[in-house]
Amino acid sequence: MKQKLRLLVILVISIFLITSCSNTHINSVKEQKPQQVSGAPKSGGTVVVAVSPIKFSPFQATTDEEKAAVSLVYEGLVKIGGDGTVLPALAKSWEISDDAKKFTFNLRDDVKWHNGDSFTSDDVKATFDKIFEIKKKSKKGDVPEFSEFNNVRSFKSIDKNTFEVILNVSDSSFVYDMAIGIVPASWLNNVDESELPQNPYGTGKFKIKNISDEEIVLERNDNYYDKKTYIDGLVLKIFYDSDIMKDAFKQNKVDIIPIEDEDWSLMQGIEDVQLLQYPSRYFEFMALNLRNPIFKDVNVRKGLLLGIDRSRILQDAILGKGIIIDSPILPFSWAYNKRIQHMDYNQSKARQMLDSAGWTDTDGDGIRDKKIGGKKRKLEFELLVNSSNGARYKAALNIQKNLKDIGVLVNLVDLPWKELEDKVFAKKYDAALMGWKLATNPDVRFMFSSGEIARGYNFVSYSNKELDEVLLKTQSETNVLKMLSLISDAQKIISDEVPYIFLYSPNNLLALNKKINGFNPDPISIFNNVSEWWVE
């Protein structure tokens, strides 16, 4: 029996999660939304958004910023909502076989390309063909490798409104990868992908008016099949220097810019400027090499977590603009488990935990010790950090001080990022401060599966048979409620086992002109609600 993942089901689950996830132990994200002008939204006007240099093509986009911008013109079969749920786009619905190997996408029949041609499954197949053509000649660092398509066994058009994909290995999360932009077959049959940015057309809310090295000018698609935008146009202004970008904003040449936490107070005094902070998909953590005998005992890991003042780190590192976290899946996500344990800073309990693990100060030098393998060993370790990251180095100093107070000696080792990364992946380290930006898909196999220890991203060498089984089940589960239960179970195991010391997730920060209304960015994309933007 096939499982139908329809919009209604996803929305119901999302609403349940959002309304039930009030969590007193997590610092709430203080979202500051623009002041809304009274009255109905107005049509017209253009919004100018500052961006870094971007490759405006579905075949070349690799960063989240690039993919978000590209989606304004090139839509995928699906789109990702603000809480990470998969929503219909060019595909109105889809079915996943019970073994999670066959995906059948039912396409909308009312979509037109910007040139007036009808969208069909031939366009999807042509896009897939082009992706596999690129994969054959791709070189790392040159063009995207499209690793998300490595598991694709075959694909075909069933009829003009139906497209089928067969995978080699079960993977229900493959549907997330179908957010990649689709390009018209008629265009692809006549140009090389390197020529695509010249005069392309898509199906999205906006059409390309002009592309240059300085800006990408988009205009509203008045024939869009769904809700049309209020604004007439959108300009993506390209900046190579953040200081020049900020000056342009102050001179009212740009309406929306990303800012850093140190910019916040400087921007507050500017007239007609609204500052916003909203959740990100990024988080900071302290990786523990579990091959080190010190960290093998979960009570030691819990003692370290209890002994670190994460609230102080959040304040010192990023001026409090973020949240303390206890899971690799963040609170904004539909898959977040609000019931996982939280450990507040408590040095008394930290000392008790280390005592119970057999680490005591037997010689009165202020550092705990214990006999391991018949030899006395100090509770001491090196913490790798790249001081070029100011926030991370402040966190390291706090950790060093906090843990010294409970009898743990932390020696900071400052390394260039590449050298630090090499040591971590070679597993030649004790502990390291690092960060992740998670994909839209709440799949944490890459970080926690035992199968990822040898050559993957499980560089802490964490192995848990129960977790492996849960993660394996999520790979083939097609029922959304069962998937949620499995992901929740995985989070609980991770939280109980403390293979990492999770620290905080910084908020994204933006400054925008107060004339912009209806702007509501989310962790997936600042453009997700672009249809609601309007200019006063």
Side-chain angles (χ1 to χ4, degrees):
M1 177 180 176
K2 294 179 179 178
Q3 299 290 340
K4 293 203 172 194
L5 300 182
R6 297 193 182 277
L7 175 61
L8 179 60
V9 174
I10 295 174
L11 283 178
V12 168
I13 293 171
S14 299
I15 291 169
F16 167 78
L17 286 167
I18 292 170
T19 55
S20 65
C21 283
S22 58
N23 193 345
T24 57
H25 69 253
I26 294 292
N27 295 347
S28 60
V29 179
K30 298 179 180 178
E31 296 188 37
Q32 301 182 14
K33 298 181 180 179
Q35 296 176 355
Q36 300 294 311
V37 177
S38 60
K42 300 176 182 179
S43 294
T46 297
V47 176
V48 182
V49 181
V51 297
S52 302
I54 59 177
K55 297 173 182 175
F56 203 79
S57 161
F59 301 122
Q60 298 171 334
T62 55
T63 68
D64 287 334
E65 184 181 36
E66 288 175 332
K67 292 176 181 179
V70 165
S71 70
L72 295 166
V73 174
Y74 301 102
E75 298 176 295
L77 298 182
V78 305
K79 59 185 177 183
I80 312 302
D83 63 350
T85 50
V86 183
L87 304 173
L90 294 179
K92 61 184 178 182
S93 64
W94 53 92
E95 293 96 45
I96 306 176
S97 61
D98 286 343
D99 63 359
K101 289 185 178 181
K102 184 168 77 171
F103 293 70
T104 305
F105 295 92
N106 306 306
L107 311 182
R108 296 183 67 118
D109 59 7
D110 57 349
V111 178
K112 299 289 186 183
W113 292 101
H114 294 157
N115 70 343
D117 292 344
S118 294
F119 161 75
T120 71
S121 62
D122 289 340
D123 301 306
V124 185
K125 184 179 182 302
T127 300
F128 270 58
D129 285 335
K130 180 59 70 173
I131 287 172
F132 277 87
E133 179 185 323
I134 295 172
K135 281 178 66 64
K136 288 180 181 178
K137 59 183 180 181
S138 68
K139 294 180 180 179
K140 196 169 185 180
D142 184 15
V143 296
E145 294 182 313
F146 293 105
S147 59
E148 64 269 34
F149 285 80
N150 289 348
N151 190 27
V152 173
R153 178 181 178 181
S154 64
F155 53 88
K156 63 181 178 180
S157 299
I158 303 299
D159 56 46
K160 70 175 186 177
N161 293 320
T162 312
F163 187 73
E164 179 185 276
V165 181
I166 305 292
L167 304 183
N168 291 304
V169 179
S170 301
D171 187 2
S172 57
S173 67
F174 175 74
V175 68
Y176 276 86
D177 300 323
M178 293 299 92
I180 188 170
I182 303 300
V183 176
S186 59
W187 182 264
L188 289 172
N189 292 335
N190 290 292
V191 301
D192 182 85
E193 68 270 8
S194 64
E195 299 172 357
L196 190 57
Q198 301 305 315
N199 293 293
Y201 48 89
T203 61
K205 294 179 172 69
F206 291 93
K207 301 185 292 183
I208 294 177
K209 184 176 182 180
N210 183 56
I211 294 181
S212 69
D213 292 337
E214 291 78 34
E215 61 186 16
I216 299 170
V217 182
L218 308 177
E219 58 184 353
R220 180 175 56 214
N221 175 15
D222 287 323
N223 295 316
Y224 189 59
Y225 60 88
D226 204 348
K227 181 177 173 60
K228 300 174 182 62
T229 64
Y230 293 114
I231 57 175
D232 291 333
L234 190 62
V235 177
L236 306 179
K237 194 76 174 177
I238 298 170
F239 290 92
Y240 295 83
D241 182 273
S242 61
D243 290 331
I244 294 175
M245 177 189 69
K246 293 169 193 174
D247 287 340
F249 178 75
K250 294 174 183 177
Q251 296 168 25
N252 292 320
K253 295 179 180 179
V254 181
D255 298 316
I256 302 171
I257 65 169
I259 61 174
E260 302 297 329
D261 49 86
E262 60 265 24
D263 299 320
W264 191 271
S265 60
L266 300 176
M267 292 282 186
Q268 281 183 320
I270 303 177
E271 188 177 0
D272 295 327
V273 170
Q274 173 73 43
L275 302 180
L276 291 90
Q277 54 177 316
Y278 62 99
S280 75
R281 305 204 315 267
Y282 184 86
F283 65 90
E284 289 278 324
F285 59 87
M286 182 167 72
L288 304 175
N289 187 349
L290 302 186
R291 294 182 177 184
N292 185 324
I294 287 177
F295 301 132
K296 286 186 178 295
D297 190 334
V298 66
N299 286 330
V300 171
R301 302 196 296 269
K302 288 182 177 181
L304 298 179
L305 177 57
L306 284 164
I308 295 173
D309 188 348
R310 293 182 290 170
S311 293
R312 172 50 57 188
I313 289 175
L314 182 68
Q315 184 61 43
D316 289 351
I318 57 170
L319 303 180
K321 292 176 173 56
I323 58 171
I324 295 171
I325 60 166
D326 299 291
S327 164
I329 295 177
L330 304 180
F332 78 83
S333 173
W334 68 273
Y336 175 68
N337 181 357
K338 73 183 185 70
R339 295 180 179 84
I340 56 176
Q341 70 170 344
H342 173 75
M343 294 187 180
D344 286 315
Y345 173 57
N346 189 318
Q347 289 202 335
S348 176
K349 288 185 178 179
R351 292 186 180 95
Q352 292 173 17
M353 196 69 70
L354 295 177
D355 287 344
S356 69
W359 290 92
T360 58
D361 182 8
T362 61
D363 54 15
D365 66 352
I367 306 301
R368 294 171 180 269
D369 54 76
K370 178 182 177 179
K371 281 191 175 182
I372 299 179
K375 293 183 178 181
K376 183 178 178 181
R377 180 159 182 172
K378 293 287 186 182
L379 189 47
E380 174 184 8
F381 62 89
E382 290 185 344
L383 175 59
L384 308 187
V385 60
N386 58 314
S387 62
S388 58
N389 184 319
R392 194 168 288 167
Y393 196 70
K394 290 175 183 176
L397 291 173
N398 274 276
I399 290 171
Q400 182 184 50
K401 179 181 182 301
N402 288 160
L403 295 186
K404 184 178 181 181
D405 290 342
I406 59 172
V408 181
L409 182 60
V410 178
N411 300 309
L412 300 187
V413 179
D414 180 15
L415 294 174
W417 171 249
K418 184 62 173 66
E419 188 176 343
L420 184 153
E421 187 179 39
D422 289 345
K423 280 183 173 292
V424 168
F425 279 95
K427 300 177 179 65
K428 296 178 180 179
Y429 75 106
D430 295 332
L433 286 185
M434 305 180 75
W436 281 116
K437 185 175 184 180
L438 291 178
T440 55
N441 174 13
D443 182 354
V444 295
R445 284 174 293 174
F446 75 99
M447 198 173 180
F448 294 95
S449 170
S450 297
E452 296 293 321
I453 294 175
R455 293 182 178 85
Y457 288 96
N458 185 352
F459 42 71
V460 300
S461 300
Y462 175 63
S463 179
N464 181 295
K465 185 177 180 180
E466 181 185 3
L467 180 61
D468 285 341
E469 292 175 354
V470 171
L471 294 177
L472 187 61
K473 288 179 181 177
T474 64
Q475 190 171 342
S476 58
E477 183 55 65
T478 60
N479 180 283
V480 179
L481 289 175
K482 291 180 180 179
M483 173 74 78
L484 176 61
S485 178
L486 288 169
I487 297 174
S488 294
D489 289 345
Q491 290 173 79
K492 185 178 186 307
I493 294 170
I494 292 167
S495 178
D496 290 344
E497 288 279 290
V498 198
Y500 295 78
I501 305 294
F502 294 112
L503 298 174
Y504 65 87
S505 173
N507 289 339
N508 288 320
L509 308 179
L510 290 173
L512 72 156
N513 192 302
K514 285 186 178 179
K515 70 179 182 181
I516 310 301
N517 291 270
F519 183 75
N520 187 21
D522 62 53
I524 307 301
S525 169
I526 70 167
F527 300 116
N528 262 351
N529 85 319
V530 70
S531 293
E532 305 299 328
W533 298 9
W534 59 282
V535 180
E536 176 61 29

